[in-house]
Amino acid sequence: MRVLVVEDERRMAAALKRGLQAEGFAVDLAHDGEDGLHCARTGEYDVVVLDIMLPKLSGYNVCKRLRAEENWVPILMLSAKDGEYDMADGLDLGADDYLAKPFSYVVLVARLRALLRRGGTRRPAVLRAGDLSLDPARRLVARGETPVELTPREFSLLEFLMRRHDEVVSKSEILEHVWDTYDTDPNVVEVYVGYLRRKIDTPFGRNALQTVRGAGYRLVSDGG
C-alpha cells in the first residue's frame, strides 16, 4: 500500500517514513502544501497523511482542493492542533480521520489500515444534484446561486434524499433516518416532501423530487 506523508518537520517525516516502511507500506514524502498537493494529484496513493500547519499551502486547503477536484483518496490529518473545532474543520472539509500530536504510533497504523479497508469511495463535503447543492457543515442549501431557506427537518430530509440520489426510498426508511422513529404517522413524510418541493423545485420550474407511486420518493441526480 502506497502512502503519501505531507509533513514539514523533516525529522518527524523521516520517522514516520521509517516506521510505516517497517509496517510494509511504501512511503513518499512531501514537505510543504504545494508539493503535497502536486504529489496527491499526480500519484496513485492509497492514503495520505496530511499535516495542517504547512508552508505555502495549509493542510486544510490541500484537502479542500483535492475534494473539489473529486479526488477521494483517504486523508488522515495529523496535527498539533488538538482543539475540537480544529478537528471539526478538518473533517468538514473532507478529511476521513484526524489524529492530534503527540500520537500513539500503534493507533496511527491502525487508523491507516481502517482507512485502507474503506478505500477511496466518493464522499463529497458538499452534496450536489445538478445545480442543487447542500453543505451539511455550514447548513446551506442553494439552487444555482440562489440560497434556499429550509427548516431543520426539511434540511435533514433533503440531505438524506441527496445522499441516496436516484434511489427510491420508502416512507418507512425516511421515518427511520430523518425522524428516528417508526411510530410517527407516515403521512408526515408526504407533508414534508410537499414543503420541500415548494422550496427546491416549484420556484425554479424543476421536478427533482419525484413520487414513485406505491414505493416512495426519488431525488434525481441531475437536479430535475
Side-chain angles (χ1 to χ4, degrees):
M1 291 293 158
R2 192 173 174 207
V3 180
L4 173 64
V5 175
V6 189
E7 167 63 63
D8 63 317
E9 207 287 299
R10 290 177 181 268
R11 291 179 62 186
M12 169 69 78
L16 282 169
K17 182 173 183 177
R18 287 194 302 271
L20 292 173
Q21 285 177 332
E23 295 289 336
F25 294 99
V27 183
D28 292 335
L29 298 180
H31 298 296
D32 63 64
E34 287 184 358
D35 190 28
L37 179 60
H38 173 74
C39 291
R41 281 170 167 167
T42 59
E44 294 292 329
Y45 292 102
D46 297 292
V47 66
V48 174
V49 177
L50 180 64
D51 190 24
I52 290 177
M53 303 298 288
L54 293 168
K56 299 184 180 180
L57 193 66
S58 75
Y60 289 140
N61 283 323
V62 171
C63 181
K64 185 177 181 179
R65 292 189 190 186
L66 288 173
R67 295 313 188 224
E69 296 165 6
E70 300 197 350
N71 183 326
W72 307 115
V73 60
I75 294 174
L76 185 149
M77 282 192 165
L78 192 64
S79 178
K81 301 181 72 172
D82 61 356
E84 60 184 18
Y85 290 105
D86 299 312
M87 185 179 298
D89 286 343
L91 297 173
D92 284 340
L93 286 172
D96 301 277
D97 203 351
Y98 190 110
L99 194 57
K101 301 175 184 175
F103 56 88
S104 161
Y105 186 75
V106 172
V107 172
L108 170 64
V109 172
R111 290 190 176 189
L112 288 178
R113 295 199 187 282
L115 290 178
L116 290 167
R117 286 195 295 272
R118 281 181 242 162
T121 55
R122 190 176 189 276
R123 50 197 182 285
V126 177
L127 306 178
R128 299 187 186 279
D131 65 348
L132 180 65
S133 63
L134 180 147
D135 186 333
R138 296 193 296 161
R139 309 292 293 181
L140 297 176
V141 175
R143 177 66 91 167
E145 298 297 320
T146 305
V148 178
E149 295 293 329
L150 300 181
T151 67
R153 187 74 72 186
E154 291 165 353
F155 187 96
S156 296
L157 175 57
L158 181 59
E159 181 178 358
F160 178 67
L161 292 169
M162 289 186 76
R163 291 190 185 279
R164 300 277 298 273
H165 64 78
D166 288 331
E167 296 181 30
V168 177
V169 292
S170 66
K171 286 183 179 180
S172 61
E173 287 181 278
I174 293 171
L175 284 174
E176 179 184 1
H177 290 275
V178 179
W179 273 265
D180 194 27
T181 179
Y182 290 107
D183 298 331
T184 304
D185 184 345
N187 289 329
V188 74
V189 176
E190 186 174 340
V191 171
Y192 271 85
V193 165
Y195 292 159
L196 204 49
R197 281 195 182 116
R198 288 194 285 275
K199 292 184 177 182
I200 66 168
D201 278 348
T202 304
F204 305 95
R206 304 298 183 84
N207 183 32
L209 182 45
Q210 302 175 350
T211 300
V212 180
R213 191 172 299 280
Y217 303 95
R218 174 175 55 219
L219 186 85
V220 295
S221 60
D222 64 3

